[in-house]
Amino acid sequence: MRFTCINVGYGDSFLLECENSVMLVDGGSALDSEFAASPSRIRSADYLTKAGIKQIDILIITHIHEDHVGGLTAVLNQIPVKKVLIPYNPKLFRNQSIPPAHENAPENVKLFAQALYRFTDIMQLCENRKIPVEEISMGMCIPVGNSHIRFLGPAEKDKTAFIEGLQHFFSAPHEDRQSEWFPYLDKISNAASLLLKISYKDTHLLLCADNCPSNWDSAIFPLLENVTVLKLPHHGQKDAVNEKIMAMMKPDYVLTTASSDRRHNSANPAVYELIQKLSGTDKQPVFLFSDGTNYEPYFSREKPFRAICISFGEKGSVPEFIDYDM
């Protein structure tokens, strides 16, 4: 299995190639400003094209936020996709019209409105092209080639809250959408995002999207003990780790999809101090950061890169830093 974290700046986009199957989890941002800020960042669709990806067997969209869904319209327009998995019923979005947020709305609310519009557009695009879209719930397990995906979240209460909020949003008057439902849905979207564990032989990847440990159902805790790669939730902000849960895991790699400007207190040093403390002296994880070259003392690279790739096989795993056309 080959796991690739694409450098989309502040956001998530992961490519997994296993035997004859190709899977993409999220697509990063579509904001011009995100890519103009650093020449090493690359839009997910452009990376996939440069990497020679001809088809995506499964596209997983973890939740509705711009830095996860923004880049997916371009992906769907450039590369054939066979199936899409989402944490909601796709029928919710059928024939829905999403207005932009008010000009005086906070920036995060504007971005959420933009993401909800884009996600709704993606659902319509899938329907027009007859791409199957399946709703995913906690506890489901799906085979993908010689690997399988087990969905460990969102917890049912968080999923239900988000779906009920969507239903209220779609039926509300315009002003209530603006003043109440855009901010509310933006606030709870992270907790309702997919938490997935991808397993291939003895390799186990825990991709947390922005679903932080405080939201996880305790029933999944026994499934966390053998994690090989932990993709920290919420871009390594302070709520990305929980001491009790982190003590269960002894990952080989801890990956953070923060941007090099560390906005919103992402890639928070307190997170890595806690992980090091709980890991002990016998097995410290390798810290990887998707954007930027200097997160000392945890990570340092001489040259910038477009992506981090880890191939898992009989000879172990070593990160490879990809620099297409730099």
Side-chain angles (χ1 to χ4, degrees), residues 246-312:
M246 198 65 227
M248 300 176 187
M249 291 188 272
K250 301 293 181 183
D252 296 331
Y253 300 99
V254 173
L255 170 65
T256 306
T257 55
S259 55
S260 52
D261 59 16
R262 305 193 193 193
R263 76 190 76 149
H264 311 307
N265 293 313
S266 58
N268 193 304
V271 168
Y272 310 102
E273 290 169 9
L274 178 61
I275 293 172
Q276 286 185 324
K277 172 188 169 185
L278 296 173
S279 298
T281 57
D282 56 331
K283 186 189 175 184
Q284 287 287 317
V286 175
F287 291 113
L288 298 171
F289 295 81
S290 62
D291 181 54
T293 59
N294 186 11
Y295 290 83
E296 291 186 350
Y298 310 107
F299 176 82
S300 181
R301 294 290 302 171
E302 211 173 291
K303 298 179 180 179
F305 49 88
R306 298 284 200 191
I308 303 171
C309 299
I310 309 176
S311 295
F312 298 94

Side-chain angles (χ1 to χ4, degrees), residues 135-155:
E135 178 183 1
I136 294 297
S137 296
M138 178 181 166
M140 295 178 68
C141 188
I142 296 175
V144 182
N146 287 348
S147 64
H148 66 268
I149 314 167
R150 187 181 298 275
F151 293 91
L152 308 182

Side-chain angles (χ1 to χ4, degrees), residues 17-22 55 57 145:
E17 301 162 271
C18 185
E19 305 299 334
N20 296 318
S21 298
V22 175
Q55 176 179 278
D57 296 292

Side-chain angles (χ1 to χ4, degrees), residues 14-82:
F14 307 109
L15 173 68
L16 290 105
E17 301 162 271
C18 185
E19 305 299 334
N20 296 318
S21 298
V22 175
M23 179 164 54
L24 183 71
V25 180
D26 288 340
S29 175
L31 298 176
D32 291 339
S33 58
E34 191 67 45
F35 298 94
S38 172
S40 62
R41 298 175 191 169
I42 185 168
R43 297 176 190 271
S44 53
D46 294 340
Y47 182 88
L48 296 172
T49 300
K50 290 178 183 296
I53 300 300
K54 304 298 183 185
Q55 176 179 278
I56 295 169
D57 296 292
I58 296 178
L59 168 61
I60 298 176
I61 308 177
T62 62
H63 67 298
I64 300 174
H65 268 147
E66 203 284 330
D67 57 322
H68 292 256
V69 306
L72 289 177
T73 302
V75 170
L76 285 157
N77 285 332
Q78 290 180 217
I79 300 168
V81 173
K82 291 180 69 175

Side-chain angles (χ1 to χ4, degrees), residues 4-283:
T4 302
C5 174
I6 303 170
N7 181 2
V8 291
Y10 190 90
D12 283 11
S13 189
F14 307 109
L15 173 68
L16 290 105
E17 301 162 271
C18 185
E19 305 299 334
N20 296 318
S21 298
V22 175
M23 179 164 54
L24 183 71
V25 180
D26 288 340
S29 175
L31 298 176
D32 291 339
S33 58
E34 191 67 45
F35 298 94
S38 172
S40 62
R41 298 175 191 169
I42 185 168
R43 297 176 190 271
S44 53
D46 294 340
Y47 182 88
L48 296 172
T49 300
K50 290 178 183 296
I53 300 300
K54 304 298 183 185
Q55 176 179 278
I56 295 169
D57 296 292
I58 296 178
L59 168 61
I60 298 176
I61 308 177
T62 62
H63 67 298
I64 300 174
H65 268 147
E66 203 284 330
D67 57 322
H68 292 256
V69 306
L72 289 177
T73 302
V75 170
L76 285 157
N77 285 332
Q78 290 180 217
I79 300 168
V81 173
K82 291 180 69 175
K83 181 164 66 174
V84 178
L85 307 181
I86 62 174
Y88 331 106
N89 186 331
K91 292 180 181 178
L92 282 170
F93 303 88
R94 187 172 292 165
N95 301 320
Q96 297 292 350
S97 176
I98 312 298
H102 281 325
E103 287 186 8
N104 60 352
E107 187 63 22
N108 62 297
V109 173
K110 290 180 181 178
L111 289 174
F112 178 79
Q114 192 171 319
L116 183 56
Y117 171 85
R118 193 174 295 276
F119 185 88
T120 303
D121 191 54
I122 288 169
M123 292 299 99
Q124 186 61 56
L125 187 152
C126 289
E127 184 173 345
N128 294 345
R129 296 183 185 174
K130 295 181 168 46
I131 301 171
V133 181
E134 296 180 12
E135 178 183 1
I136 294 297
S137 296
M138 178 181 166
M140 295 178 68
C141 188
I142 296 175
V144 182
N146 287 348
S147 64
H148 66 268
I149 314 167
R150 187 181 298 275
F151 293 91
L152 308 182
E156 193 60 35
K157 63 179 178 60
D158 295 316
K159 175 175 177 171
T160 299
F162 190 82
I163 290 173
E164 289 178 352
L166 274 175
Q167 292 169 332
H168 285 299
F169 172 86
F170 289 136
S171 62
H174 177 77
E175 283 306 315
D176 288 351
R177 288 185 177 196
Q178 296 288 345
S179 63
E180 182 176 357
W181 294 109
F182 270 150
Y184 175 73
L185 289 169
D186 175 47
K187 182 179 179 179
I188 67 172
S189 183
N190 284 344
S193 60
L194 290 174
L195 174 66
L196 53 151
K197 182 181 179 182
I198 303 170
S199 299
Y200 172 76
K201 297 182 179 180
D202 294 329
T203 299
H204 307 276
L205 285 66
L206 186 65
L207 305 184
C208 304
D210 289 332
N211 195 333
C212 293
S214 59
N215 303 311
W216 299 357
D217 192 310
S218 59
I220 73 167
F221 290 178
L223 299 172
L224 305 177
E225 295 177 358
N226 59 355
V227 169
T228 308
V229 178
L230 168 64
K231 197 292 294 189
L232 285 173
H234 211 195
H235 313 284
Q237 293 181 35
K238 201 166 183 181
D239 55 0
V241 289
N242 169 282
E243 187 163 345
K244 178 182 176 181
I245 296 174
M246 198 65 227
M248 300 176 187
M249 291 188 272
K250 301 293 181 183
D252 296 331
Y253 300 99
V254 173
L255 170 65
T256 306
T257 55
S259 55
S260 52
D261 59 16
R262 305 193 193 193
R263 76 190 76 149
H264 311 307
N265 293 313
S266 58
N268 193 304
V271 168
Y272 310 102
E273 290 169 9
L274 178 61
I275 293 172
Q276 286 185 324
K277 172 188 169 185
L278 296 173
S279 298
T281 57
D282 56 331
K283 186 189 175 184

